[in-house]
Amino acid sequence: MASSTIARQPRTFETDTIEAIDRVRQPGDFTTTPRMLFIALLAIVIGIASTFIAFLLLKLIGIFTNLFFFQRWGTDLVSPAANTLGVFEVIVPVIGALLIGLMARYGSERIRGHGIPEAIESILMNGSKVEPKVAILKPISSAISIGSGGPFGAEGPIIMTGGAFGSMIAQLFHLTSTERKTLLVAGAAAGMSATFAAPVASVLLAVELLLFEWKPRSLVPVALASASAAILRHFILGGGPLFPVPPHSAFIGVAGFLGCVLAGLLAGGLSSLLTMAVYFFEDIFHRLPIHWMWWPMLGGLVIGIGGLIFPPALGVGYDTIGTLLQGNVSLQLIVGVLVVKSIIWSVSLGSGTSGGVLAPLLMMGCALGGIEGLFLPAEGAGFWALISMAAMLGGTMRSPFTAIIFALELTHDMNALLPLLIAVIVAHGFTVLVMRRSILTEKISRRGYHLSREYAIDPLELLFAREVMRTDVVALPDTVSRADVVTLLQGGAQQGGRMQHLHPVVNVEQQLLGVVTRNDLQAFLQQTDAKVENWSIGTLIKQRPVVAYANEPLREVINRMAVSGFTRLPVVEDSTTPKLLGMISLSALLRARTHNLAEERIRERPLQLRLLLPRRGQSGKESVLEKETIDV
């Protein structure tokens, strides 16, 4: 088996990295180590702190709402719709947007946006490192945006702020980038848990959107942080469902379930339209001949005009969501939310201001359900608002399980579980087929990065080194003579029809002593006299070579190749019995990848039914396996 390059000088690896190369991991269900306990302890501390951060942000929103619209000091969350400013109300969102533009330009541009894409970007591109000033400026800018009438929710900024705080704590310790990511996500999940009293949905959001893995090493700390925040929230903000709803039937019948399918399709369609609208307006703002600092002001002007037309469209709108979920609301309220809220939210979000997307999506989904309730089967007050609310969230954010559990935790209506499952999955499937990216990942894509949301088991975890190694290897005994080496080199040392450039050296018991390269042998023979009788191959052996083990997954092998830089490794039985079994190369690992590709591209019909006559072109005997390769 050939080797591309084998360095003669020691490689400049860290000591712990070299030890990791030689360490054998016994295959098991998970790769988690006791280190997880330390990270979980830090995550609990971050979860507690994020609860107080969420509490302070909600109070900040209350302060700015009271100051902007009612010219008074107060921390209670009030609706801007009750203001008495008249036409002067149009100016309020413009002033708030100006302050945000100044903070973004002269403070940190990372406060722009709705928080979740920024958190994803920090995880993927910045090693989960967030600047401390972001943790300060983001909640203030979001409080100003929402308090001045912005049609946003507090959850996105809280997720970003909690994540920033988690990242700051992580940066105080000697941690890996993966561990920093876990703590960043722990802060984000805890912030959402504290805001909505939805600890399970917060963990699912972390898994479906932020962690990019499903491993105990990250799941356990994040879940404990979310649970800690939910427990503490009970004492600070109170318990119970955020949006209680009337009880609904446990079984809605065939007509009701078909209605859920339709609700999912409509929610998927509206999700797609809103996502396209946001980025349509963002493209318009990018074409304006003015600095981006002024864009939020234009978005604020649209908010002000929309608020003048339909005041309930202003602010977070938790009260409006609660009203829609109770049912029996006026058609004017439903249409106002669907039209005015959608427009001002799309325009202002496209302008790059600061604010979250969850609450607006919930409100617009409820309004869509209100329309559906006019023609779908009557299943109780607010039923279709609840179903469409979750479907809207699942379709827009592409996180279906988060949307289902989120709706259950917001309302505590367990009877709606099956209808929610149907509607949310239909909406999710619709948007996956219609749109390449979600409202969250499109922003990341526009910054030049690609994000895949699909999780799967690495096929190299399912195959072992013993299954792809080559056994037709030319190994050299440690007693080989100089003449034998000359004969070997002259003969070409063919391996499977190819030149072998790396030769294992073994003893009489076939135990691996080291490796020697073909180039080293040739160079040594040219430098030594043929009459030298005490020639020994031991002077050329590279001892303690990097090896692969027969019973380890191929992913471990390829990781070892990546760290060591070697593309061909001897395969031995195990670490205690280094008996040579064969060689494994990078090309063999690549061929193993084709096994997974074949499973996805080749369509088979293992079972066939012959009704009367054999197919045309077949002479009596029919193949038991039809295959069709998919062109890609």
Side-chain angles (χ1 to χ4, degrees), residues 42-56:
L42 289 179
I44 291 173
V45 175
I46 291 172
I48 294 173
S50 295
T51 306
F52 288 103
I53 292 174
F55 175 77
L56 291 176

Side-chain angles (χ1 to χ4, degrees), residues 181-219:
K181 174 191 69 174
T182 298
L183 295 180
L184 184 154
V185 176
M192 179 176 170
S193 176
T195 305
F196 288 107
V200 180
S202 301
V203 175
L204 285 175
L205 180 68
V207 170
E208 291 189 301
L209 195 59
L210 299 174
L211 283 176
F212 304 103
E213 65 178 30
W214 194 316
K215 297 182 179 181
R217 68 176 185 182
S218 54
L219 178 62

